[in-house]
Amino acid sequence: MSEAEPRHALVTGASSGIGAAVVARLLADGWRVTGVSRGQGSVAHPRYRHLALDLCDLDAIAPAVGDRAVTALVHAAGLLRVGRLGEAAPTDGATMWRLHVEAATRLADLLVPRMGQGGRVVLIGSRTAAGAAGRGAYAASKAALVALARSWAAEVMPRGITVNVVAPAATETPMLTDPSRSGVAPKRPPLGRFIQPAEVAAAVAYFLSPEAAAVTGQQLVICGGSSL
């Protein structure tokens, strides 16, 4: 990635949580950012543009993205719907799959072919991808991101493009207090606190940096000790 070229990232889920933290970090690092979310959010910055888009409307993605060309794609949009085996609503699983996996695929199909040498893709996964009671459909959709990242990484490696996953444990975002998860409480990591969105954003910034040019097809788990 040449320093003479403007670095431009498209970040989904930009209005809150991890996505908002990624936007803030990249703007601080000098990136130009297009933030994708249904709501406008509160970012006011000369290098920031908002793209209003419901990523669950898959057919709306291509017209909204248009002919944009970016240096990096960060897919941070996500939602959590919980439910144990035999109790979970099938529509909840389908919605999570659509947002986490199918939307990521549509965006990558559009944007990665336009990336040059040094392009980057980072998908926000979850430590839960390893499996967790009451979160089966969510875990499956996040585990799929790892398979996508490794497959895409192998395909685009000859072009100098990397694809990686950042997978945090329970992170202090609005998702923690979502009423839809009332039956499955968030588990505080052994570290004694929830992961902070800025910590996830720092990992994303590393994967987007020149120093990470040789790192691809990997999953970085920010677990706060949960995996020990």
Side-chain angles (χ1 to χ4, degrees):
M1 186 187 308
S2 169
E3 291 301 322
E5 296 175 358
R7 298 178 301 170
H8 181 192
L10 185 142
V11 180
T12 69
S15 62
S16 67
I18 291 172
V22 171
V23 168
R25 174 59 187 259
L26 296 187
L27 289 172
D29 288 350
W31 285 74
R32 185 159 58 95
V33 178
T34 296
V36 177
S37 62
R38 289 179 297 177
Q40 175 69 44
S42 58
V43 179
H45 195 284
R47 283 186 274 104
Y48 181 80
R49 295 292 181 272
H50 179 253
L51 177 60
L53 176 62
D54 180 356
L55 289 170
C56 284
D57 184 355
L58 298 174
D59 291 335
I61 293 175
V65 170
D67 60 357
R68 282 179 175 81
V70 298
T71 314
L73 164 63
V74 181
H75 185 47
L79 59 84
L80 173 65
R81 295 291 181 267
V82 300
R84 293 181 177 274
L85 192 63
E87 300 173 356
T91 53
D92 287 346
T95 299
M96 287 186 286
W97 187 269
R98 190 179 307 119
L99 178 59
H100 299 159
V101 181
E102 293 189 72
T105 301
R106 296 283 183 107
L107 288 165
D109 280 341
L110 290 166
L111 296 171
V112 174
R114 303 172 190 169
M115 290 181 182
Q117 180 84 16
R120 299 283 192 270
V121 178
V122 178
L123 308 175
I124 302 300
S126 172
R127 188 252 169 188
T128 305
R135 299 174 178 86
Y138 177 80
S141 68
K142 291 297 189 175
L145 294 181
V146 179
L148 283 179
R150 292 184 62 81
S151 300
W152 294 346
E155 293 175 16
V156 300
M157 192 185 313
R159 296 174 50 206
I161 298 171
T162 68
V163 188
N164 292 288
V165 177
V166 176
T171 305
E172 198 165 332
T173 69
M175 189 181 288
L176 286 186
T177 57
D178 189 329
S180 68
R181 69 176 299 164
S182 58
V184 182
K187 295 181 180 179
R188 191 181 300 273
L191 183 64
R193 63 170 176 81
F194 294 115
I195 308 303
Q196 295 302 302
E199 294 172 318
V200 183
V204 171
Y206 167 69
F207 279 133
L208 299 188
S209 72
E211 290 79 8
V215 183
T216 193
Q218 303 305 306
Q219 177 180 220
L220 174 59
V221 180
I222 307 176
C223 71
S226 300
S227 300
L228 299 177

